[in-house]
Amino acid sequence: MPNDIIFEPLAFRNLTIKNRVFRSNMSGRFDNYDGSGNLARINWELKFARGGVGAIISSFVPVTIRGRIIPNYATISSDDRVPFWRELGRQVHQHDCKFILQLSHSGRQRDIPGIEYEKALSSTSKRDPLHGFECESMSTDQIRDTVGAFADGARRAREAGLDGVELHGANGYLITQFLSSGINDRKDDYGGPLRNRARFLLEIVEAIRATVGRDFHLQVKISATDFNDALIKTEKPGNVVRDTVQVCQWLEQAGVDALHVSSGSFFPHPRNPPGDFPLDELEKTYDSLISSGMLTLRNYLLIRGRLTGRVFKRRWERARGDRAKIQGLNLPDTKKIKQAVGVPVICTGGFQDAPAIRQAITSGGCDAVSIARPLIANNDLVEMFRRGQDSPDVPCTYCNRCLVNAPENPLGCYEESRFNSRQEMVDEIMSVFNPPPFR
Ligand SMILES: Cc1cc2nc3c(=O)[nH]c(=O)nc-3n(C[C@H](O)[C@H](O)[C@H](O)COP(=O)(O)O)c2cc1C
Ligand code: SF4
């Protein structure tokens, strides 16, 4: 298609991307227990670089060991991590693809904490209401140290020759735990009114700019609407899009170059990733979380119960909303943010078909889209669009089996119906270990 908006470059203040499709963040337990990187992660990222995306936004990369969700995610918590990220970036760049690293801190939302830190940090000392992950409220010294850890992470990403960083300010992790009126119950300068709740995030932005300067790409992933009461009606609803529009304006004034819009104040959330609740698969993998939270054993038994499992599934899918509207689910909120800021805005959530992506951009809803699961299903989705195909022959079904396998098994597509056989599916999942680290 001539003049296809999908293949028009997108210029940020410090960075230009060759097209409008970003590989959205995807974690997977590919690395070593201590957070040092592994060749499997490089193999994984190269699948998408070869498939034609303009940029890859990394997995959740913890800025401190205490801030990880689960062991075996590559971290950026010390200077000795830099060579790994440099090598990953070098190989991704060979495919004319940019690499943006997601600077992250779990806060209380830790699925499997590992052995180093028993208790998580958070804006609050209240455990999370869904899994019962326990935490302690951060002191101002701990806040200051964590702000510094984000700035150090940005410096290391720059030293590694990567193309920019993204702050994980979405989906219930530490920054959301400060931003959200549904979670933050502090009485000091970091709690209460929106400006106070945004202080932690704005201090991180300021510290990063003071450390790496103005000419290194910095974007923020943010949940436009929290839907904090999506599953537990006694919870407060949390931030609405009006709050997030204001936060995004502050972020722009503070020197952020782009915004990446998601939704939900916990993860996973019925609206993120938007799709099904694969009960049969969850029965096999939720057990790895049982010792992590005060409510995880209860949840496991509920999931295993024939009736209770179905009730939970129905509640989840009702909170998600109409299945037919999964593609571009966050677009209405993203458009409100785009209309209020001058920097480019990326929208995540359900995108899989070229016409829907074109429409999202040309209608002024966003400047680019980010894609996760449809790219797991079809690594070369962007190349398909380039060849003139509007949608993949064997699309992602939004079944979310990849998601619920991620804490226990290698990340990949677990929707057997997309493959000719179970063996073919397993071979594809295991292909991330090829080439092997020692040859
Ligand atoms: C297995 C899996 C892992 C994910 N890991 C992350 C992550 O580390 N950081 C993040 O910001 N989002 C993460 N997400 C959310 C995606 O980046 C994306 O925003 C979301 O899935 C919606 O996009 P999609 O409909 O194209 O999948 C993950 C999603 C999946 C399915
Ligand atoms: S398991 Fe495969 S089909 Fe299902 S949501 Fe994940 S990528 Fe899509």
Side-chain angles (χ1 to χ4, degrees):
M1 178 189 274
N3 305 322
D4 187 348
I5 185 72
I6 293 177
F7 293 98
E8 264 182 34
L10 176 60
F12 299 100
R13 203 159 53 86
N14 300 305
L15 176 69
T16 300
I17 308 284
K18 70 181 172 188
N19 61 41
R20 303 301 178 100
V21 181
F22 290 70
R23 203 299 305 281
S24 198
N25 324 77
M26 272 188 283
S27 299
R29 301 188 67 179
F30 294 133
D31 303 291
N32 302 316
Y33 190 96
D34 67 348
S36 53
N38 200 308
L39 184 59
R41 181 165 303 281
I42 299 182
N43 295 342
W44 169 255
E45 300 296 29
L46 288 178
K47 284 172 182 265
F48 307 100
R50 287 192 199 100
V53 295
I56 291 171
I57 324 178
S58 76
S59 54
F60 179 108
V61 182
V63 293
T64 65
I65 294 296
R66 198 170 186 177
R68 67 182 178 193
I69 307 172
I70 228 167
N72 308 97
Y73 285 4
T75 72
I76 192 137
S77 51
S78 53
D79 288 351
D80 60 7
R81 300 292 193 249
V82 172
F84 168 73
W85 292 108
R86 185 178 293 126
E87 179 57 17
L88 190 156
R90 188 188 69 76
Q91 294 201 34
V92 165
H93 287 157
Q94 285 176 348
H95 300 276
D96 190 22
C97 179
K98 306 290 187 192
F99 193 86
I100 296 169
L101 184 136
Q102 186 179 51
L103 297 172
S104 313
H105 193 298
S106 58
R108 70 182 183 182
Q109 199 163 262
R110 299 192 301 174
D111 294 342
I112 301 176
I115 58 173
E116 293 95 336
Y117 294 98
E118 264 183 37
K119 210 151 186 195
L121 297 175
S122 182
S123 64
T124 174
S125 55
K126 275 199 259 157
R127 64 190 192 198
D128 97 287
L130 188 57
H131 306 277
F133 298 142
E134 291 197 290
C135 59
E136 63 188 51
S137 178
M138 287 164 82
S139 67
T140 41
D141 282 352
Q142 286 170 323
I143 291 176
R144 197 197 48 235
D145 290 350
T146 309
V147 168
F150 274 96
D152 286 341
R155 171 181 56 76
R156 291 177 190 126
R158 181 170 202 157
E159 283 168 16
L162 304 180
D163 302 292
V165 287
E166 173 177 277
L167 295 178
H168 197 349
N171 311 145
Y173 296 103
L174 183 62
I175 294 175
T176 315
Q177 290 161 35
F178 275 87
L179 283 176
S180 175
S181 60
I183 301 174
N184 184 335
D185 58 358
R186 300 180 76 90
K187 302 281 179 269
D188 62 4
D189 289 349
Y190 294 89
L194 184 61
R195 182 79 205 192
N196 279 4
R197 302 199 309 274
R199 190 180 305 279
F200 177 57
L201 173 56
L202 291 167
E203 283 181 358
I204 294 172
V205 171
E206 200 185 317
I208 289 178
R209 283 295 178 221
T211 307
V212 300
R214 289 281 291 169
D215 60 349
F216 188 53
H217 180 77
L218 168 61
Q219 63 183 47
V220 176
K221 191 174 193 184
I222 196 156
S223 290
T225 303
D226 278 349
F227 301 108
N228 191 51
D229 56 352
L231 292 175
I232 303 172
K233 295 297 167 200
T234 50
E235 287 297 307
K236 291 194 244 166
N239 291 3
V240 294
V241 67
R242 196 177 53 251
D243 302 318
T244 307
V245 164
Q246 173 64 82
V247 174
C248 289
Q249 289 173 326
W250 289 332
L251 288 170
E252 182 177 19
Q253 287 158 16
V256 161
D257 299 316
L259 296 153
H260 182 188
V261 182
S262 180
S263 56
S265 64
F266 50 92
F267 187 84
H269 185 282
R271 295 175 63 89
N272 181 54
D276 300 333
F277 187 80
L279 200 54
D280 53 342
E281 205 84 15
L282 196 60
E283 278 181 14
K284 292 186 242 163
T285 57
Y286 191 79
D287 59 318
S288 17
L289 272 67
I290 286 179
S291 61
S292 304
M294 301 303 284
L295 304 172
T296 36
L297 177 59
R298 176 207 68 180
N299 293 348
Y300 182 64
L301 295 173
L302 286 176
I303 292 163
R304 293 294 297 251
R306 277 188 60 188
L307 185 64
T308 48
R310 265 183 286 158
V311 168
F312 199 75
K313 178 177 164 72
R314 205 170 313 127
R315 189 184 295 182
W316 185 278
E317 292 177 356
R318 201 177 299 136
R320 175 201 65 211
D322 188 351
R323 203 180 190 287
K325 294 188 181 156
I326 282 178
Q327 185 149 207
L329 172 98
N330 292 315
L331 203 53
D333 276 358
T334 308
K335 189 169 190 171
K336 289 187 183 137
I337 292 172
K338 182 165 167 51
Q339 284 167 346
V341 297
V343 293
V345 179
I346 306 160
C347 182
T348 195
F351 289 104
Q352 174 149 239
D353 302 326
I357 296 170
R358 287 186 198 112
Q359 172 67 16
I361 300 170
T362 55
S363 66
C366 59
D367 297 282
V369 301
S370 78
I371 303 181
R373 295 162 302 163
L375 277 166
I376 302 185
N378 290 284
N379 302 160
D380 59 345
L381 188 63
V382 177
E383 280 309 312
M384 287 180 195
F385 297 159
R386 186 190 296 284
R387 291 196 299 268
Q389 200 172 328
D390 275 347
S391 25
D393 295 330
V394 192
C396 166
T397 62
Y398 307 114
C399 69
N400 276 335
R401 290 174 190 278
C402 49
L403 174 81
V404 302
N405 270 282
E408 203 162 282
N409 298 315
L411 188 51
C413 181
Y414 285 77
E415 172 65 291
E416 228 177 296
S417 70
R418 295 191 57 257
F419 297 87
N420 292 317
S421 64
R422 182 169 169 78
Q423 190 56 49
E424 190 183 301
M425 178 184 88
V426 171
D427 289 347
E428 174 58 31
I429 292 165
M430 298 305 283
S431 69
V432 75
F433 299 104
N434 193 15
F438 303 109
R439 278 183 286 171

